[in-house]
Amino acid sequence: MSPHKRTRKAISGPSSRSQTSVNITQHSSPGGSPMLMDGTSKTGKKGRHVVRRRKESGTQRGPDHISPRVTIEALPDIVLLDIFEFYGAATFPDPRGPLPWPWNRLVHTCQRWRYLVFASPLRLDLRLCCTYKTPMREMLDVWPPLPIEIIDSRILCDEENIIAALEHRDRICRIRLSHLTSPLLERLVAMMQEPFPALTQLELWSAGVTASALPDMFLGGSAPRLQTLFLWGIPFPGLPRLLLSSSDLSYLTLWMIPRTSYISPEEMVTGLSALTRLAYLTIEFESPASRPDRRGRRPLPLTRVVLPALTNMTFQGDNEYLEDFIARIDAPRLNDFNVCFFNFDQLVFDIPQLLQFITRTGMTKSYNRAGVVFDGAYVEFSHHLPEGTNTLGRLKLGILCRGIGWQVSCMAQICSQYSFLLPSVEQLDICQYYRWKSRWQVDSDVIPWLELFRPFTAVRTLRISCHPQSYIVHALQDLTGERTIEVLPALDGLYLEDYKPSGPEQKALELFIATRQYSDRPVAVHRWERPRLEIIKQK
């Protein structure tokens, strides 16, 4: 059925009444059911504001009676504004999304709608959007002085349009530019040396080459209304100073921080100290050059900076940098923590400050699941809340390194230091990304699987995906005699994704099961039917 349907019916009344022709207009509601122009649907649902039909006095309505035609013009202004606001929120719910909502369609409908929209610019969050399709200078002459968004994600930015918009710095509320080359960035930055008082979101992406550094006086050294700051591959040594003036900041993302933009942990924490509303923090370095200078390192302060609103944090870089940084902060509400270390030249990992920080947050107290995932150049340990828990909660510790033996060895070090937080773990999963299955053609004797499992003293369920399965089963058969319950003493369920009773590892598996049975610690073997969604995520 068409969303707009008109039906004409002839109504025959008593002989004293003349025949009348009535139009009925129906519109589709957001849920799909026909919506009458009085605000009700055939299902009987009503919105917050409805125009109710007046009850007719006199004779009782007959089965063929149809109310007179009611158009949208009958809706009062307050109802129309509610509809406009709902349309904008439903169409573009994320204010940090790629484009603002298309309010300009409404003002071209009729003069009344145009007046209503322009009379409520704050409520409807009206903004002018500068993109590569927009003739900016002409648009600024036509539209009212609304806030301006500059958005251009093409490889070749429309420089003239962007410069035309930057001339109105007091109205610019959002800047999102990608594929920025050094020459273009330098020209734009030259126009951004003064404050942008309305700016709330700033996202700058380099073109993949070494970009020019932002000067200390970028944005005039102050951004009091800034809420989102995203820099990808763009050096900004003066960032801590800008952060001290940005108390409204809630999203801070620094990706691919180049070597030329090193900021010491102490300076970074000083800048973050003013961000009481910061909820999301990402610090990712481009290379291991993020290692702090031991000679210039100062003693840790007696008091730590508290980030009361921080819930999500991601770090990629050197473990020494994170140790120095994490020792200076507290995040009591943190519930999602993702860490990735570089390990190109390190044999030993020492992370006492990180473990103390995790303990202070208390985020892992109720975590009873853990997992180790292997990639071609990456291995990751994760610690999760119980299955079926609605609350978000996750800790991930990863290491960038190659070789299965090297990855297992590094992860064994991490888990050994983390062991005091593992007594509650009852389920352990060992998985691999399918695209790296060829990497498992190695000598199983050089992989220290038992050292990896040793800290998991409370694990009852061990689930293993297909490719590491054979190596782990052959390692478990070495647990004989006095070593029978030395590793995984509480294990009572072994789940194998590629379990076959006549498989190549069957003898090793039978020996392990018999040894545990003899020690009065029986283990049942099952086939692990992994959810398809989980498998797809790893492909």
Side-chain angles (χ1 to χ4, degrees):
M1 180 185 294
S2 171
H4 301 283
K5 182 182 71 176
R6 297 180 181 269
T7 306
R8 301 184 64 90
K9 291 187 178 181
I11 302 179
S12 300
S15 57
S16 59
R17 297 183 182 180
S18 60
Q19 237 182 17
T20 306
S21 180
V22 180
N23 286 333
I24 302 175
T25 304
Q26 295 181 351
H27 295 264
S28 292
S29 65
S33 60
M35 179 69 75
L36 301 176
M37 293 313 299
D38 66 349
T40 63
S41 67
K42 287 187 175 181
T43 60
K45 296 182 180 179
K46 300 182 180 182
R48 284 191 302 167
H49 301 279
V50 297
V51 179
R52 304 180 184 278
R53 294 171 177 160
R54 297 178 179 178
K55 294 183 178 180
E56 295 182 358
S57 59
T59 58
Q60 186 176 4
R61 295 182 179 183
D64 294 331
H65 179 82
I66 300 179
S67 298
R69 173 183 174 182
V70 179
T71 68
I72 199 169
E73 291 298 324
L75 297 178
D77 292 351
I78 186 64
V79 177
L80 282 175
L81 284 175
D82 282 342
I83 294 174
F84 296 163
E85 186 178 13
F86 176 80
Y87 167 67
T91 310
F92 293 86
D94 184 5
R96 300 188 307 119
L99 292 172
W101 71 284
W103 55 266
N104 57 312
R105 299 175 185 173
L106 302 178
V107 301
H108 290 300
T109 302
C110 65
Q111 187 173 0
R112 182 191 176 200
W113 285 23
R114 184 183 184 92
Y115 173 80
L116 283 176
V117 169
F118 285 146
S120 305
L122 295 179
R123 176 177 177 178
L124 299 180
D125 193 23
L126 303 186
R127 305 180 183 188
L128 300 179
C129 187
C130 170
T131 69
Y132 69 94
K133 296 180 179 180
T134 309
M136 198 62 195
R137 296 191 186 277
E138 292 82 353
M139 185 174 68
L140 291 172
D141 292 335
V142 173
W143 295 112
L146 298 171
I148 299 173
E149 294 190 350
I150 303 175
I151 301 174
D152 199 334
S153 58
R154 300 185 311 150
I155 296 179
L156 297 176
C157 294
D158 192 336
E159 186 176 340
E160 292 302 320
N161 254 358
I162 296 173
I163 291 177
L166 288 177
E167 293 174 355
H168 301 265
R169 60 180 179 82
D170 58 325
R171 292 167 52 188
I172 294 177
C173 62
R174 181 186 183 191
I175 300 175
R176 187 176 190 269
L177 300 174
S178 60
H179 304 290
L180 292 173
T181 61
S182 286
L184 176 58
L185 182 61
E186 290 174 0
R187 286 193 291 272
L188 298 181
V189 168
M191 300 185 64
M192 302 176 68
Q193 300 295 305
E194 298 182 28
F196 281 60
L199 187 64
T200 59
Q201 300 178 43
L202 175 62
E203 300 180 41
L204 301 177
W205 302 61
S206 74
V209 295
T210 303
S212 302
L214 301 180
D216 290 344
M217 289 307 297
F218 181 65
L219 300 180
S222 175
R225 296 189 59 187
L226 195 63
Q227 298 174 11
T228 299
L229 177 58
F230 183 106
L231 299 177
W232 193 96
I234 296 180
F236 189 13
L239 175 65
R241 176 186 173 183
L242 183 71
L243 295 180
L244 287 173
S245 68
S246 308
S247 57
D248 285 347
L249 197 69
S250 57
Y251 292 83
L252 175 59
T253 301
L254 307 174
W255 271 1
M256 296 296 288
I257 303 174
R259 300 182 181 184
T260 55
S261 185
Y262 177 81
I263 300 173
S264 71
E266 183 179 3
E267 292 174 322
M268 185 69 75
V269 172
T270 299
L272 296 177
S273 62
L275 307 183
T276 57
R277 298 183 181 181
L278 185 66
Y280 296 83
L281 173 63
T282 299
I283 301 175
E284 295 192 3
F285 288 92
E286 181 184 21
S287 69
S290 59
R291 186 174 303 170
D293 185 2
R294 294 187 179 92
R295 295 171 298 178
R297 187 179 301 179
R298 298 182 181 180
L300 295 176
L302 297 178
T303 58
R304 290 181 288 267
V305 171
V306 179
L307 302 176
L310 189 65
T311 58
N312 295 65
M313 179 177 172
T314 299
F315 175 85
Q316 176 177 293
D318 185 79
N319 64 306
E320 292 184 11
Y321 187 101
L322 182 64
E323 282 285 291
D324 200 350
F325 175 81
I326 219 75
R328 302 173 185 272
I329 67 170
D330 273 331
R333 296 185 58 191
L334 190 68
N335 60 19
D336 196 310
F337 192 20
N338 194 344
V339 176
C340 176
F341 293 127
F342 294 121
N343 184 35
F344 300 116
D345 59 353
Q346 289 182 262
L347 298 176
V348 178
F349 273 94
D350 190 23
I351 51 173
Q353 295 294 340
L354 173 59
L355 300 178
Q356 292 179 32
F357 173 77
I358 295 171
T359 304
R360 292 198 302 270
T361 64
M363 61 183 298
T364 62
K365 288 182 178 179
S366 55
Y367 290 9
N368 72 346
R369 295 187 301 141
V372 178
V373 178
F374 296 92
D375 199 342
Y378 180 71
V379 59
E380 175 185 88
F381 166 77
S382 58
H383 202 178
H384 301 269
L385 284 168
E387 285 184 310
T389 304
N390 293 328
T391 306
L392 295 177
R394 178 184 62 180
L395 169 69
K396 289 187 176 182
L397 301 177
I399 303 174
L400 282 170
C401 60
R402 293 186 178 275
I404 300 304
W406 188 262
Q407 291 179 345
V408 175
S409 177
C410 291
M411 196 49 58
Q413 290 187 53
I414 295 290
C415 293
S416 177
Q417 297 182 62
Y418 192 75
S419 60
F420 69 98
L421 295 171
L422 297 177
S424 61
V425 175
E426 297 181 352
Q427 176 182 305
L428 176 63
D429 296 345
I430 308 295
C431 306
Q432 86 296 323
Y433 285 105
Y434 277 76
R435 63 178 179 268
W436 294 107
K437 57 187 179 181
S438 61
R439 301 280 184 175
W440 291 89
Q441 306 302 323
V442 296
D443 184 0
S444 61
D445 294 336
V446 303
I447 305 178
W449 291 109
L450 299 183
E451 294 303 315
L452 174 62
F453 295 145
R454 194 177 301 277
F456 296 92
T457 57
V459 165
R460 299 186 58 187
T461 301
L462 176 61
R463 306 193 301 186
I464 309 172
S465 63
C466 55
H467 294 292
Q469 172 181 310
S470 177
Y471 302 101
I472 294 176
V473 168
H474 281 91
L476 292 176
Q477 74 172 341
D478 293 336
L479 297 175
T480 58
E482 297 180 354
R483 302 183 61 197
T484 301
I485 57 175
E486 180 181 307
V487 177
L488 301 173
L491 183 68
D492 57 20
L494 180 60
Y495 291 77
L496 306 177
E497 185 181 22
D498 195 28
Y499 175 61
K500 299 176 182 177
S502 59
E505 65 270 8
Q506 186 60 26
K507 288 187 178 180
L509 187 60
E510 290 175 353
L511 178 60
F512 171 69
I513 295 174
T515 304
R516 294 288 295 232
Q517 184 75 30
Y518 181 78
S519 301
D520 199 23
R521 300 290 180 91
V523 174
V525 181
H526 311 272
R527 181 178 178 82
W528 182 16
E529 299 291 345
R530 277 207 287 172
R532 179 169 179 79
L533 179 61
E534 182 179 336
I535 296 175
I536 291 175
K537 286 181 179 180
Q538 295 187 10
K539 286 188 177 181

